[in-house]
Structure formats: C-alpha cells, structure tokens
Amino acid sequence: MIHAPNIVYETLEGETIVIHLDTGNYYSLTGSGVEIWELLEEGGPIAQICAVLARRHARPESEISNTVESFIAGLEREGLVEAGDAPPNGLRAEAADPDRPWEPPKLECYDDMRDFLLVDPIHEVDQTGWPSRKTA
C-alpha cells in the first residue's frame, strides 16, 4: 500500500516521479517499476502483482517474481509503501502481449533537492494562514 500521507507522485512519459515529503528525497521509477507502482496504487498484493505482470508480458511468473519482490522491498525500505496484507481485489487483467518487452523495474533515489523540498511554508502557518517561523 502506498504511504499516501507523506508521498506525492505523478507518472509522465513512462516514468513515475515520487516525492517523500518527510525526507525530501525524490525517486524515479522506470521500466516495469511504473506498472508495479500503478498496481500497488490499485491495492494489489505482491503475489497478484506478479501474476498480472507475468500475464501482461507473456513471461513465466517464476521469472519475474524475485525481481518484483525485491523492487517492492526497496520501496518499503525508502518508506514509500507500507508492508501489509492487501486484500485480493481483482486487479485488472490484460491479455498477454508477446511484443510487450519485460523491463526490470528500476528505482533511483535523489536527494539534491532535499533542502528545497523540506522548506514548505504552506505547512508552517499561523492562525491567519500566513507563514510563521518554527520555534526552537
């Protein structure tokens, strides 16, 4: 499950950009990482995500399950998703497409904008709605 209160994300042109508001880190998800993120957003359990991806890419589930599980474990370590038992909710199944290549998921972390992302006066306002300074 996506750790929604602290995470914002957007998918554009085959890449999902995820920002962790508590750490100021941002992430690039590419390859099948975009699909995995979308399936996590739908609330799919890991086993069902593996099954859906295997069907979509006409691959044996055993071929991709370790990669998918490792990718999701990386998302958990970064605090982007929470471990838990997601109920089987019938993720959308797509017909196999042998021409759709399987690309392993890729997660890249960036912290070069941390200082800018952590400075957010919108969350530090007084009763009138104006920015206020933090007290020590």
Side-chain angles (χ1 to χ4, degrees):
M1 163 186 301
I2 294 174
H3 196 225
N6 305 322
I7 304 299
V8 293
Y9 55 93
E10 184 74 35
T11 300
L12 301 166
E13 299 180 16
E15 176 183 25
T16 299
I17 303 297
V18 181
I19 300 172
H20 194 301
L21 298 174
D22 289 343
T23 65
N25 291 340
Y26 67 98
Y27 303 84
S28 169
L29 284 59
T30 56
S32 62
V34 174
E35 292 177 272
I36 294 168
W37 186 264
E38 290 169 352
L39 293 167
L40 286 167
E41 184 179 22
E42 291 180 33
I46 294 174
Q48 197 172 12
I49 289 171
C50 292
V52 167
L53 291 172
R55 171 182 231 122
R56 281 184 188 172
H57 296 279
R59 300 272 191 199
E61 193 172 330
S62 60
E63 181 182 315
I64 65 169
S65 63
N66 287 339
T67 303
V68 172
E69 290 169 6
S70 294
F71 179 76
I72 293 173
L75 295 174
E76 288 175 7
R77 280 192 302 277
E78 294 295 327
L80 303 176
V81 298
E82 297 173 317
D85 295 328
N89 64 354
L91 294 174
R92 16 178 197 124
E94 295 178 16
D97 182 357
D99 295 327
R100 188 175 192 171
W102 165 253
E103 292 181 49
K106 189 170 182 183
L107 171 66
E108 294 180 281
C109 176
Y110 300 95
D111 64 3
D112 58 323
M113 298 287 291
R114 178 181 291 155
D115 293 338
F116 296 110
L117 293 172
L118 291 176
V119 176
D120 185 4
I122 295 170
H123 293 96
E124 300 161 11
V125 296
D126 64 17
Q127 293 175 344
T128 63
W130 288 96
S132 62
R133 294 179 187 234
K134 287 185 181 180
T135 56

